[in-house]
């Protein structure tokens, strides 16, 4: 069960096209882990006060309600309670006690994640930036949307893919710049080259034992977890074409991007980012290919323009060079005015008050669990009957259709490639 501090909760943080679908489809095969495709719901919670126009009206009233009547502390507690109901609802009956929230673009709200669940584990999934850009181009070409890297970086209008490729990547690398007990660095290239070894280390970080064969996700295609994963219809549309991790996409950026795209992107991002992420060799290849030696710092004019576009569209304000915070630094103190500077004095903390707070949290968790059990018993009995009937029908259908699962996976992939259209 996930508690109010986030113990048992794991955030897989990265920008889109970093290999998060592959990581998730392997992690979900562990008996103690619940992981599925992208959730994203915390982003809608953090933006709840920024109510958009709705057909029934009242947007200005709702904005006034959140901004004038609901304190930041109360809002965070309400969002935390909602998130816990969602997360723990997934865990009920699953046999798992860890949940992985894999949602690219959570870089949008890193400060809020620290405040909401300070003890959560956070995995930083990294990939060669040029391979990420190439993956955007490849996937969008197949979906029919198209993606022009140069146009997106030079556009005067907001393009979230350009935000992913610039601000998102820079922000995540600032966030994980210093070692942290709850942080783990996972590199895509190492994961596909040595999946078992990397999963063993990742499981050790989570405090659980590696389970043999969990990296061979093709062996779990008939599981309930796998069915839920593929039914979401998001993530890597090519994942179901393989049975296990492969290195086919590691260096394909040279076959997908042209020299002009590589030159512009490397200039915008700057050489320092490649060095910090461990991709100095790939940067050297790019310099040799394009004949350009890239400056250390990013192109600040481009970064400022994209930052302004995002702020104008979303109203979000990020702390500059924000880094993952110690858990004790982000627990809100109701006695402190949020507009005043906070001076931490952990040596003066009252252990009695801390113990009472912990007791209250545990009591609340127990009450919530009792309520769910009481509420869910009769519903569970009813659903058991429906589930048995549905499973019987599924088995009959599978017996009629040869290679039923392969056809299902192909249909899911085909739907994704057509942009979600049947």
């Amino acid at each position: 069960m996930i508690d109010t501090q986030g113990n048992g909760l794991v955030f897989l943080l990265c920008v889109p096209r970093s290999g998060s679908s592959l990581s998730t489809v392997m992690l979900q095969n562990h008996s103690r882990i619940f992981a599925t495709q992208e959730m994203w719901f915390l982003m809608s919670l953090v933006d709840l006060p920024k109510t958009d126009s709705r057909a029934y009206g009242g947007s200005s009233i709702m904005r006034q309600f959140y901004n004038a009547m609901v304190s930041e502390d109360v809002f965070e507690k309400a969002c935390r309670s909602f998130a816990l109901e969602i997360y723990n609802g997934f865990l009920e009956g699953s046999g798992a006690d860890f949940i992985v929230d894999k949602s690219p673009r959570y870089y949008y709200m890193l400060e809020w994640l620290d405040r909401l669940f300070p003890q959560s584990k956070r995995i930083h999934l990294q990939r060669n930036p040029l391979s990420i850009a190439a993956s955007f181009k490849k996937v969008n070409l197949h979906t029919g949307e198209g993606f022009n890297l140069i146009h997106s970086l030079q556009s005067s209008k907001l393009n979230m893919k350009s935000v992913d490729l610039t601000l998102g990547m820079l922000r995540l690398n600032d966030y994980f710049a210093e070692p942290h007990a709850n942080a783990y660095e996972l590199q895509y290239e190492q994961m596909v080259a040595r999946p078992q070894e990397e999963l063993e280390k990742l499981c050790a970080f989570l405090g659980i034992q590696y389970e043999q064969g969990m990296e061979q996700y093709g062996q779990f295609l008939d599981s309930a977890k796998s069915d839920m994963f593929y039914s979401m219809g998001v993530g890597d549309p090519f994942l179901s074409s393989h049975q296990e991790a492969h290195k086919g996409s590691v260096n394909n950026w040279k076959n997908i991007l042209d020299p002009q795209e590589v030159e512009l992107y490397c200039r915008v991002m700057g050489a320092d980012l490649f060095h910090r992420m461990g991709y100095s060799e790939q940067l050297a290849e790019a310099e040799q290919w394009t004949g350009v030696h890239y400056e250390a710092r990013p192109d600040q004019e481009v970064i400022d323009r994209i930052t302004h576009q995002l702020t104008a569209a979303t109203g979000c304000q990020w702390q500059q060079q924000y880094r993952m915070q110690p858990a004790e630094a982000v627990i809100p103190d109701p006695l402190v005015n949020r507009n005043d500077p906070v001076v931490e004095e952990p040596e003066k903390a009252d252990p009695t008050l801390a113990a009472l707070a912990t007791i209250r949290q545990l009591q609340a968790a127990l009450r919530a669990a009792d309520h769910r059990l009481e509420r869910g018993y009769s519903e569970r009995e009813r659903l058991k009957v429906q589930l048995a009937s549905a499973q019987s029908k599924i088995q009959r259908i599978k017996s009629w259709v040869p290679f039923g699962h392969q056809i299902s996976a192909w249909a899911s992939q085909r739907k994704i490639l057509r942009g979600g259209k049947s």
Side-chain angles (χ1 to χ4, degrees), residues 171-229:
R171 182 162 157 78
L172 283 170
N173 276 274
D174 283 338
Y175 183 68
F176 288 102
E178 296 177 355
H180 194 289
N182 288 337
Y184 184 85
E185 297 281 342
L186 176 63
Q187 198 171 63
Y188 170 84
E189 291 79 8
Q190 295 177 359
M191 180 177 64
V192 298
R194 301 180 296 275
Q196 178 176 335
E197 180 182 336
E198 292 303 313
L199 285 174
E200 287 175 350
K201 292 189 291 186
L202 183 52
C203 286
F205 163 70
L206 297 177
I208 56 179
Q209 291 290 325
Y210 162 81
E211 293 182 349
Q212 190 66 39
M214 58 185 290
E215 71 279 2
Q216 297 173 354
Y217 58 88
Q219 297 182 4
F220 296 83
L221 288 177
D222 289 320
S223 68
K225 288 181 177 180
S226 182
D227 287 342
M228 177 179 286
F229 181 91

Side-chain angles (χ1 to χ4, degrees), residues 181-343:
N182 288 337
Y184 184 85
E185 297 281 342
L186 176 63
Q187 198 171 63
Y188 170 84
E189 291 79 8
Q190 295 177 359
M191 180 177 64
V192 298
R194 301 180 296 275
Q196 178 176 335
E197 180 182 336
E198 292 303 313
L199 285 174
E200 287 175 350
K201 292 189 291 186
L202 183 52
C203 286
F205 163 70
L206 297 177
I208 56 179
Q209 291 290 325
Y210 162 81
E211 293 182 349
Q212 190 66 39
M214 58 185 290
E215 71 279 2
Q216 297 173 354
Y217 58 88
Q219 297 182 4
F220 296 83
L221 288 177
D222 289 320
S223 68
K225 288 181 177 180
S226 182
D227 287 342
M228 177 179 286
F229 181 91
Y230 287 108
S231 71
M232 292 287 287
V234 292
D236 186 353
F238 305 105
L239 188 63
S240 61
S241 302
H242 304 278
Q243 303 294 303
E244 58 186 355
H246 64 91
K247 297 186 286 185
S249 297
V250 169
N251 290 312
N252 67 347
W253 61 271
K254 290 175 284 188
N255 301 320
I256 297 174
L257 301 176
D258 59 47
Q260 292 77 21
E261 291 173 317
V262 171
E263 178 180 346
L264 176 61
Y265 186 51
C266 289
R267 178 174 61 78
V268 168
M269 298 307 292
D272 278 351
L273 178 72
F274 286 85
H275 298 317
R276 287 167 57 190
M277 295 178 67
Y279 295 105
S280 299
E281 182 179 337
Q282 289 77 3
L283 177 66
E285 288 184 67
E287 290 184 332
Q288 183 177 8
W289 191 28
T290 60
V292 178
H293 180 74
Y294 300 105
E295 300 291 332
R297 303 292 297 165
D299 187 325
Q300 200 58 47
E301 181 179 347
V302 175
I303 298 300
D304 288 345
R305 171 169 45 79
I306 297 175
T307 301
H308 176 74
Q309 291 170 351
L310 180 66
T311 301
T314 65
C316 72
Q317 295 287 341
W318 293 341
Q319 294 183 33
Q320 291 296 314
Q321 298 182 321
Y322 180 74
R323 295 185 176 182
M324 187 174 173
Q325 299 296 294
E328 65 273 11
V330 294
I331 298 175
D333 184 346
L335 301 179
V336 175
N337 187 329
R338 288 184 177 271
N339 295 322
D340 295 336
V342 177
V343 179

